[in-house]
Amino acid sequence: MAATITISTDFGLTDGYVAAMKGAILTVNPSAQIVDITHHISPQNTKEAAFILGTVYRYFPTGTIHLIIVDPGVGSRRKAIILRTPIADFIAPDNGILSYVIGDFARNAGRKIPETLQAVAITNMKYWRAPVSRTFHGRDIFAPVAAHLSLGVPLAEFGAPITSINTFPLPVPRLSPKGVLIGEIVHIDSFGNLITDITEQDLPHGTPNFEICGNTIRGLSQAYRESKALLAIIGSSGYLEIALNEGNAAAFLRAQIGSEIRVTVISNNK
Amino acid sequence: MAATITISTDFGLTDGYVAAMKGAILTVNPSAQIVDITHHISPQNTKEAAFILGTVYRYFPTGTIHLIIVDPGVGSRRKAIILRTPIADFIAPDNGILSYVIGDFARNAGRKIPETLQAVAITNMKYWRAPVSRTFHGRDIFAPVAAHLSLGVPLAEFGAPITSINTFPLPVPRLSPKGVLIGEIVHIDSFGNLITDITEQDLPHGTPNFEICGNTIRGLSQAYRESKALLAIIGSSGYLEIALNEGNAAAFLRAQIGSEIRVTVISNNK
Amino acid sequence: MAATITISTDFGLTDGYVAAMKGAILTVNPSAQIVDITHHISPQNTKEAAFILGTVYRYFPTGTIHLIIVDPGVGSRRKAIILRTPIADFIAPDNGILSYVIGDFARNAGRKIPETLQAVAITNMKYWRAPVSRTFHGRDIFAPVAAHLSLGVPLAEFGAPITSINTFPLPVPRLSPKGVLIGEIVHIDSFGNLITDITEQDLPHGTPNFEICGNTIRGLSQAYRESKALLAIIGSSGYLEIALNEGNAAAFLRAQIGSEIRVTVISNNK
């Protein structure tokens, strides 16, 4: 079956690790349509992987299987899990990497898996590659499980149901006592655009004023090209972004993951 | 249908942007054969994208659809276009990125689309993803349009015909009054090879002598291995290249895009 | 036919060279399943390419065709070859790049091709792209040959059988007169893990003690997470690895390809 399987890792593309996973998938399902999401997650950075996955998965065909292998606990007792949602399946170590996905289906779900979803702990070795190496479950467990799942093997075949998984608290902007909306930078993309945790719905009514790293931006732009200076814009994933047209906002502002952004409303008499 | 769709961008592979485009394509046409050309175009460098596309597209199957998303004007009034040629379709913002393609079908065509080709401005929202973000038409307009085109939707369905597009003048070598052929470096590849705008046909009869960045090279080589020093060779796209066998010519010569190369003929009595 | 063809090169992904090879493959076999192994081999580093290929090829479906184009001798008289094994076909320049593959089928085979394998020198231009460039046989010879092979063209069609190929001696650990096992670092992966030429079978009985770059490691770990310091573990390709959990062992130790590792046994009274 021509099911789509995506792969996200922190393996880089210099070695053959990603290719070995693809080989393991194709050995089980030669017709799988394999798509790379990214292999350049910073080593062991599960939060970065969680964010990128969260911005991408909904653009794939319904039923896509997403493999996410950022796995500092490989070989330890951390669980390997499959999470089934109405739009996609996710196969990953149980280390918080699915926090944004869980958050999309139930705000403040915490560790509890929302009732509309299903999950299992992967324990049935029948669907693994043998022998299983100590350091590369991506190739020996996750990849073949994804391939068997893509062939229609029922979820329950892979292991027993679970009702909770590890998640981390998603960053959300807060309102100060004085009415200032305070968010933070959660991702910096390769253009240097600063992606915040503030959505369009979070923004106050009126013309917003943004303060970040000692700079001020007045109003929202509708296109990068509208300004040659810093600009604020609602980015492609629905989050407020700070960008520098034809430049690198992160470098210009010396901004980092976690840098604060403050939003107020410009009063009419200004 | 197993049509081939290529993607070229300046997105890098660190984020999920390229993957989101692939997801958007596969959502419309799950059987599309997607091939990356490169995602490492320098940010907003439409000329670099145009050159690389120009050296590659003719090696794909007839009917391949090439998506090229280097789009500094996203969200502004720049057009989105489809260009149909007898060998491939091209989908891109109208920012000069198809200059080499146009040049291949009509030398000095300028902005006018040669009569053997067809083009439309993409305006029919029926084939777009909704909602369309302000910053990522690659995912929301170009990718789904490519996928629908790959399914056989007629060109005229996507928008009205256009007869001209934006192009930039292609670099061409010139002959000085004293008969010196003067070209320039138009691309530096990842080996440090310097690719010029001079073709084999442009070279004078006789044994050529090349001057570049204060160095002299006598004669054309037939293989990189022929010399341990600098060498001149006709490269794989038909352009004269300056290379350093097992070394990096660009670093050795401190050459840059635009650096001049001068060609004369070695006289017989030398 | 949906045969799998892998590609390994030193081309990088900045230019369109890899894409041109894929286009050349798809022009001949539009249904080929193409998988990248890596394109980040250090320029002209045939040993690195040989090692990575050796760790990956056995994870692909039986009958996969592996194209390996690290080819400093392109355009010279070096042969182009196809090596057929019971589990995969390999297409490459004859420059030692298949040394690990040959070694897997016959220890100390040297240049002689083991009798269980077959090989031909690629000479039949019928299966090449025309014209053939001087500098890019990957696109003009190797890629179309791989595609024709994937369509079932018999091996003998591509050229005459050969009985020997170029190989380099594979690194193997040696035992000193005093009983110390002395190996070396043969690869450093992108996590900074140091992969040695020592296999689990090579290790002495008892608890091993490892000395590398002035540091000592006692015993083998079963998972990266077991230690916050340096650790020794059997890696995913069966070789002893030195790693630093959540760190970069290569940077920490200033280790290099060729660095020595010494293994002794910890005596019981310690």
Side-chain angles (χ1 to χ4, degrees), chain B residues 18-87:
Chain B
V18 172
M21 287 183 62
K22 293 180 180 175
I25 289 170
L26 295 172
T27 298
V28 174
N29 182 357
S31 303
Q33 171 88 263
I34 303 175
V35 177
D36 297 305
I37 289 187
T38 179
H39 301 293
H40 299 289
I41 301 292
S42 318
Q44 284 101 33
N45 193 334
T46 49
K47 287 196 178 181
E48 187 184 341
F51 179 81
I52 290 180
L53 175 71
T55 62
V56 165
Y57 76 89
R58 64 176 66 84
Y59 299 102
F60 280 85
T62 302
T64 291
I65 296 166
H66 299 283
L67 260 171
I68 314 100
I69 312 298
V70 178
D71 192 11
V74 62
S76 72
R77 296 190 170 191
R78 67 100 186 86
K79 283 197 197 90
I81 58 177
I82 307 174
L83 175 69
R84 171 155 288 173
T85 76
I87 66 171

Side-chain angles (χ1 to χ4, degrees), chain A residues 38 59 187 189-190 222 236, chain B residues 11 13 15 17 23 134 139:
Chain A
T38 180
Y59 299 102
H187 184 69
D189 76 11
S190 61
Q222 303 297 316
S236 59
Chain B
F11 295 164
L13 293 172
D15 299 293
Y17 299 137
R134 294 182 188 106
R139 179 192 69 198

Side-chain angles (χ1 to χ4, degrees), chain B residues 7 13 15 25 38 73 82 131 143 147 158 160 167 171 186 191 205 222:
Chain B
I7 313 183
L13 293 172
D15 299 293
I25 289 170
T38 179
I82 307 174
F158 295 97
T167 57
V186 294
F191 292 94
H205 288 280
Q222 303 296 316

